[in-house]
Amino acid sequence: MYLSLDWAKDWIKLPKDLETKQLALDFTMAIVEVEEVIERGANLKDIVVGKINEIAKHPDADRLEVCQVDIGDSVEQIVCGGINLSKGMLVAVAKVGSRVKWHGEGDLVMMAKTKIRGVESSGMIAAAEEIGLENLFPQKSDKEILDLSELKLKAGEELAEALELNDTIIDIDNKSINHRPDLWGQYGLAREIAAIYRTKLKDYVVSNISLKDEVKLKVSVRDKEKCFRYLGLVIKNIKIQATLLITGIAD
């Protein structure tokens, strides 16, 4: 069972100085066992949204480009070999000091200023697999860099915050809540945290669903003793897309 602290904050206000490790310990001692604390955006530190202002051919490498990339507080020169680079494109920039996996393989490598074929490069324009986002942004080729242009993002934004990946997830042992159906949802878990820290719990607001006769839905219950109630609902205009429930690169 996963508890999202960001979600829980819809109903409770946590103490300002509370560390997640202490919360996990308090939760274990008072309620149920916590197996793991997952900081979803931990491995996206110093990785930001960038906008490619200019692209020029590398003077000494046919397959490399020299890009001028706006990262909010500065414009950095980055040498890149991505096959899908374009002017005005929004990209993920691993700044100097951040850590990535080259082509999604091996250990994490720290970014540093370097020269590539004689041209200075500060950081890296990353592919999805290099920053642990390949499940969210599937690549057609291992030579593609991550294209964020369809999203409403600004140059300089921290990528974890821009993609709402800066949540803390509390992984709770499922076996210990089998006898506690009140802990089978986010609100029930938030209520327990409110009790531990003696903080106010906001009411759970249920949205009203307006019923219309645009779609005829008929439900027939054949055995009313075994199924005394059955509800059906038609939901239209659903957009299927990738979710952001990922944890980033594993060390």
Side-chain angles (χ1 to χ4, degrees), residues 7-213:
W7 199 345
K9 289 174 184 176
D10 287 349
W11 305 295
I12 60 174
K13 187 175 182 180
L14 295 173
K16 291 182 179 180
D17 58 348
L18 179 64
E19 296 184 359
T20 51
K21 288 184 178 180
Q22 184 62 47
L23 186 151
L25 176 61
D26 293 343
F27 208 88
T28 296
M29 300 305 294
I31 313 297
V32 293
E33 183 178 354
V34 171
E35 294 193 335
E36 186 181 6
V37 176
I38 304 168
E39 300 289 352
R40 294 175 66 204
N43 290 306
L44 293 176
K45 184 179 179 182
D46 291 326
I47 298 176
V48 301
V49 177
K51 182 178 181 180
I52 300 177
N53 288 344
E54 300 290 341
I55 302 175
K57 285 290 184 182
H58 191 291
D60 196 31
D62 292 338
R63 297 183 180 181
L64 296 178
E65 308 279 358
V66 181
C67 302
Q68 304 300 322
V69 187
D70 179 4
I71 59 170
D73 56 356
S74 64
V75 175
E76 300 294 340
Q77 178 170 285
I78 302 176
V79 177
C80 181
I83 60 174
N84 58 327
L85 292 169
S86 63
K87 186 176 178 180
M89 186 177 185
L90 292 180
V91 295
V93 176
K95 297 167 62 176
V96 172
S98 64
R99 300 193 302 165
V100 303
K101 285 187 176 181
W102 291 113
H103 304 291
E105 299 177 353
D107 297 327
L108 290 167
V109 177
M110 182 174 288
M111 289 289 94
K113 271 193 175 184
T114 186
K115 284 188 176 182
I116 300 176
R117 295 284 187 93
V119 176
E120 190 173 275
S121 182
S122 298
M124 181 177 75
I125 300 174
E129 64 181 3
E130 292 171 321
I131 53 177
L133 301 183
E134 63 273 17
N135 292 331
L136 181 60
F137 300 99
Q139 297 175 220
K140 296 178 181 179
S141 166
D142 59 0
K143 296 178 182 177
E144 285 185 350
I145 51 93
L146 175 56
D147 185 358
L148 300 170
S149 301
E150 293 186 1
L151 304 178
K152 294 181 180 179
L153 307 178
K154 294 181 180 180
E157 285 186 280
E158 292 287 339
L159 190 61
E161 184 174 346
L163 297 180
E164 298 181 356
L165 296 176
N166 51 354
D167 192 6
T168 298
I169 304 297
I170 308 295
D171 185 1
I172 297 169
D173 177 17
N174 283 337
K175 298 185 293 295
S176 62
I177 64 172
N178 285 342
H179 67 297
R180 291 283 305 273
D182 58 318
L183 300 182
W184 293 353
Q186 300 293 300
Y187 188 72
L189 294 169
R191 180 171 52 235
E192 295 297 327
I193 296 176
I196 292 174
Y197 300 111
R198 301 180 183 275
T199 186
K200 185 179 179 181
L201 177 71
K202 294 180 181 179
D203 292 335
Y204 185 88
V205 179
V206 179
S207 301
N208 291 325
I209 300 176
S210 59
L211 301 178
K212 297 181 180 180
D213 295 329

